[in-house]
């Protein structure tokens, strides 16, 4: 795939793609592309990182160093394709500004970082107005995925897709002979889908954390015992990357102390913002995504050390006193985890469905689930059931209603309730399990308490309410009691 240009006796090899940003993700993506036969030109703000790559992992490979943006542009085949793998936010705009000085109409900029979808919408417009093309590509899989095959979710200027499709689909993870990379839609859709992927990831991690926490406190299991449980779970319907790595983590022993390393890890969980964005977006679009939001809130609470310290003194935690059959309880937790996971994914896909309408993206939800089967952090067998559900009914109102998920939830709900009830009784927080259960119970209940909310709103704000027994909008002067109540059609 090398294009060799001979000019005045000097041979120049032109690169298939230029990549800016040689941190964890960028460097591994470059090596992945090179492994698949592509020549890559690389640039980084700090030039030492270019040398480190060329003299280290990239030595002797088809990787060309570019120490300036001008140099980078001159090293690329046309139309030029430049991929940014830099920190989301201002650095992306700075590089776009610089690239616009050296690129030409028809050239393509791809942002592979975790950019906010609304920034991608803005940048796509900016580039298209100048006759260039822009792609916002969500990339998932972390360091290892970037090297061996990530899940890639590209969206933006459709005209760019034929020029980058071969490279992206070659380097992506492959499942059943299909690449985990397909065109998502226009402007910010690729980054939006990646954002929701990450939101679901927050919920998935939260739920697994709760399962671990319950076994630790209610069964008194040690790390080794829990490692066995997770290994076993990974053989069944919970089979997924996150369950697999949890088993590995539980098996890790600290060299210095001989203790399970996990029990030495501080419990203040960090975050980079995509879970928060997903939750904010759910609120903006009026989509209920409580289990995803709980994943974010739980991390926030975990980091509130000062408040936690004071509260732990004020309300001391009592060691649970329960007598449980370990095998039975482990199975109940597994069922609760799976049911909660279904709810979290239902919330994420509901958000995608609403966003598709709101932003006119025409998202193919079954195809998106397919892209997540390999390469990414939430990769799981289970995603095939989501693809099947949307294949059978592309207009599915909510994933919970698909036959496979209905059956699973009906089968698991008894254990789910028992696990949540026991946790609450014993003072163990399970915001993921509990919020998923509340979501499930709310969505299936035929007549919610929100009739009272409507009445209260009408009482203090004359916001009107609807009636179940007749059409129209009504307002009542509630405070006047039985005597003078009026219900006026408004
Ligand atoms: P980082 O997110 O840590 O970004 C490091 C890169 O950004 C370096 O090339 C750095 O240049 C450059 N950079 C920074 Br920081 N500030 C800059 C500025 N003001 N101007 C120009 N360049 C600047 O790297 P990463 O973890 O490899 O992630 C890259 C992108 O991929 C991010 O958007 C991230 O959210 C996303 N992502 C990361 C993962 C993951 O597992 N890490 C997974 C999926 C997606 P320097 O070398 O000169 O400092």
């Amino acid at each position: 795939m090398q294009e060799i240009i001979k000019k005045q006796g000097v041979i120049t090899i032109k690169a298939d793609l230029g990549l800016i940003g040689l941190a964890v993700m960028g460097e591994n993506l470059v090596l992945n592309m090179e492994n698949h036969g592509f020549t890559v030109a690389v640039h980084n703000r700090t030039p030492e990182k270019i040398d480190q790559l060329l003299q280290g992992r990239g030595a002797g490979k088809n990787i060309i160093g570019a120490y300036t943006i001008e140099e980078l542009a001159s090293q690329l085949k046309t139309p030029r394709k430049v991929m940014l793998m830099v920190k989301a936010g201002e650095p992306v705009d700075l590089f776009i500004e610089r690239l616009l000085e050296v690129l030409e109409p028809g050239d393509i900029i791809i942002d592979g970082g975790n950019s906010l979808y609304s920034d991608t919408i803005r940048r796509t417009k900016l580039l298209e107005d100048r006759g260039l093309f822009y792609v916002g590509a969500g990339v998932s899989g972390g360091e290892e995925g970037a090297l061996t095959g990530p899940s890639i979710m590209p969206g933006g200027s459709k005209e760019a897709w034929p020029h980058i499709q071969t490279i992206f689909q070659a380097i992506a993870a492959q499942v059943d002979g299909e690449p985990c990379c397909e065109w998502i839609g226009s402007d910010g859709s690729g980054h939006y889908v990646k954002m929701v992927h990450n939101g679901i990831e927050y919920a998935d991690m939260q739920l697994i954390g709760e399962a671990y926490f319950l076994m630790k406190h209610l069964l008194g299991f040690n790390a080794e015992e829990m490692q066995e449980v997770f290994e076993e779970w990974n053989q069944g319907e919970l089979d997924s990357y996150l369950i697999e790595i949890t088993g590995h983590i539980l098996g890790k022993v600290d060299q210095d102390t001989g203790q399970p390393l996990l029990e030495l890890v501080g419990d203040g969980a960090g975050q980079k913002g995509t879970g928060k964005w997903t939750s904010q977006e759910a609120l903006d679009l009026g989509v209920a995504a409580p289990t995803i939001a709980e994943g974010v809130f739980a991390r926030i609470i975990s980091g509130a050390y000062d408040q936690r310290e004071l509260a732990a003194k004020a309300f001391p935690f009592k060691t649970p006193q329960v007598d449980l059959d370990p095998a039975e309880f482990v199975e109940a937790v597994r069922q609760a985890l799976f049911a909660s996971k279904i709810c979290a994914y239902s919330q994420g896909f509901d958000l995608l469905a609403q966003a598709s309408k709101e932003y006119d993206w025409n998202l193919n939800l079954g195809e998106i689930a397919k892209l997540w089967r390999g390469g990414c952090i939430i990769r799981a067998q289970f995603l095939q059931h989501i693809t099947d559900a949307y294949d059978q009914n592309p207009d599915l109102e909510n994933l919970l209603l698909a036959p496979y998920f209905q059956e699973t939830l009906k089968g698991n709900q008894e254990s789910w309730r028992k696990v949540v009830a026991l946790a609450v009784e014993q003072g163990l927080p399970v915001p993921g399990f509990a919020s998923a259960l509340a979501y499930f119970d709310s969505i299936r209940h035929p007549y919610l308490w929100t009739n009272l909310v409507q009445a209260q709103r009408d009482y203090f704000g004359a916001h009107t309410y609807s009636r179940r027994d007749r059409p129209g909008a009504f307002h009542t002067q509630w405070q006047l009691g039985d005597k003078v109540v009026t219900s006026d059609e408004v």
Side-chain angles (χ1 to χ4, degrees):
M1 296 175 205
Q2 284 183 356
E3 184 179 293
I4 300 174
I5 311 277
K6 201 167 177 188
K7 216 176 182 182
Q8 295 171 339
V10 180
I11 292 177
T12 317
I13 296 168
K14 291 267 180 179
D16 296 289
L17 183 136
L19 188 138
I20 300 177
L22 295 176
V24 183
M25 292 299 285
E27 178 171 307
N28 284 294
L29 277 175
V30 169
L31 294 168
N32 185 353
M33 288 176 193
E34 205 275 346
N35 285 341
H36 282 89
F38 301 103
T39 300
V40 191
V42 296
H43 176 75
N44 195 68
R45 175 182 63 167
T46 311
E48 288 74 24
K49 291 213 183 132
I50 305 173
D51 297 328
Q52 275 166 21
L53 174 62
L54 295 180
Q55 288 155 23
R57 294 168 80 199
K61 295 183 186 275
N62 292 314
I63 300 172
I64 309 167
Y67 293 85
T68 64
I69 294 290
E70 288 74 14
E71 211 182 326
L72 182 75
S74 71
Q75 291 164 340
L76 302 175
K77 289 179 195 169
T78 53
R80 296 175 191 81
K81 298 166 273 297
V82 181
M83 184 165 187
L84 301 173
M85 279 314 289
V86 295
K87 193 171 162 221
E90 210 188 341
V92 176
D93 286 314
L94 291 174
F95 276 118
I96 290 175
E97 221 172 279
R98 287 287 290 116
L99 284 164
L100 282 174
E101 292 165 15
V102 296
L103 298 182
E104 293 172 349
D107 288 344
I108 299 159
I109 298 178
I110 306 138
D111 172 17
N114 278 337
S115 292
L116 184 59
Y117 78 96
S118 48
D119 283 340
T120 306
I121 294 177
R122 168 177 60 78
R123 291 165 185 153
T124 306
K125 185 164 180 343
L126 173 79
L127 262 83
E128 288 183 351
D129 285 349
R130 304 262 196 116
L132 285 86
F133 301 121
Y134 194 73
V135 176
V139 178
S140 176
E143 182 176 4
E144 190 202 330
L147 180 66
T148 58
S151 170
I152 310 178
M153 297 145 255
S157 314
K158 183 86 195 270
E159 296 86 339
W161 182 229
H163 300 287
I164 59 171
Q165 182 174 4
T166 311
I167 305 179
F168 277 28
Q169 291 193 332
I171 64 163
Q174 313 285 320
V175 175
D176 298 338
E178 289 180 280
C180 293
C181 172
E182 197 39 82
W183 188 252
I184 299 287
S186 60
D187 52 60
S189 60
H191 274 140
Y192 197 95
V193 168
K194 171 70 200 311
M195 174 190 79
V196 175
H197 163 283
N198 285 25
I200 292 173
E201 181 184 312
Y202 271 62
D204 235 340
M205 292 167 73
Q206 173 67 25
L207 297 172
I208 293 171
E210 290 175 19
Y212 147 80
F213 195 62
L214 290 174
M215 287 190 278
K216 179 165 131 175
H217 288 289
L218 295 180
L219 293 176
F221 272 15
N222 62 28
E224 202 180 330
E225 286 166 315
M226 286 187 275
Q227 180 191 4
E228 271 174 38
V229 170
F230 278 97
E231 278 170 3
E232 198 185 311
W233 285 358
N234 202 38
Q235 305 304 312
E237 59 192 357
L238 276 172
D239 172 10
S240 62
Y241 172 72
L242 284 169
I243 292 283
E244 184 189 353
I245 67 164
T246 303
H248 296 171
I249 290 167
L250 284 159
K252 190 83 179 167
V253 173
D254 177 49
Q255 296 299 316
D256 296 336
T257 62
Q259 289 185 51
L261 180 56
L262 179 60
E263 300 308 323
L264 298 170
V265 174
D267 67 356
Q271 52 176 318
K272 284 200 164 172
T274 42
K276 181 183 79 176
W277 291 347
T278 309
S279 306
Q280 285 173 331
E281 188 59 20
L283 288 171
D284 283 346
L285 295 194
V287 174
T291 311
I292 293 173
E294 286 295 354
V296 182
F297 289 136
R299 292 194 195 190
I300 294 170
I301 292 179
S302 78
Y305 286 122
D306 294 346
Q307 293 181 44
R308 286 180 59 197
E309 202 183 325
L310 293 170
K313 280 189 194 136
F315 314 104
F317 173 65
K318 279 196 213 127
T319 307
Q321 302 293 334
V322 282
D323 185 18
L324 298 165
D325 178 302
E328 237 174 59
F329 188 66
V330 165
E331 175 54 15
V333 172
R334 190 194 66 78
Q335 292 189 16
L337 173 55
F338 197 48
S340 304
K341 179 179 167 112
I342 292 171
C343 289
Y345 279 70
S346 298
Q347 294 163 22
F349 275 83
D350 192 17
L351 178 56
L352 288 176
Q354 298 312 319
S356 184
K357 287 184 208 151
E358 177 77 19
Y359 305 115
D360 204 13
W361 283 333
N362 199 20
L363 297 179
N364 182 336
L365 302 184
E367 187 64 47
I368 289 167
K370 233 170 160 182
L371 299 185
W372 294 345
R373 286 181 310 163
C376 65
I377 303 299
I378 64 169
R379 62 182 178 261
Q381 247 192 15
F382 153 89
L383 286 156
Q384 186 60 48
H385 292 296
I386 299 183
T387 302
D388 294 345
Y390 285 113
D391 280 353
Q392 280 160 19
N393 179 7
D395 300 320
L396 192 63
E397 282 286 334
N398 187 305
L399 262 186
L400 301 181
L401 302 171
Y404 170 78
F405 296 118
Q406 274 197 41
E407 211 174 295
T408 309
L409 290 167
K410 282 176 189 162
N412 291 19
Q413 65 164 314
E414 201 183 318
S415 299
W416 192 11
R417 292 183 195 291
K418 279 188 184 154
V419 167
V420 171
L422 186 63
V424 171
E425 209 175 86
Q426 296 297 324
L428 294 169
V430 282
F433 283 12
S435 74
L437 184 56
Y439 172 80
F440 172 70
D441 281 337
S442 299
I443 216 157
R444 78 191 179 91
H445 201 282
Y447 189 45
L448 293 168
W449 60 89
T450 31
N451 55 339
L452 175 58
V453 172
Q454 280 301 83
Q456 289 166 333
R457 292 180 68 241
D458 188 56
Y459 185 115
F460 62 68
H463 293 301
T464 77
Y465 59 92
S466 63
R467 289 182 61 119
R468 308 169 81 198
D469 58 349
R470 66 187 82 143
F474 298 87
H475 170 54
T476 294
Q477 288 173 302
W478 301 85
Q479 72 277 25
L480 296 180
D482 283 344
K483 282 184 287 179
V484 220
V485 170
T486 56
S487 289
D488 308 312
E489 216 153 324
V490 288

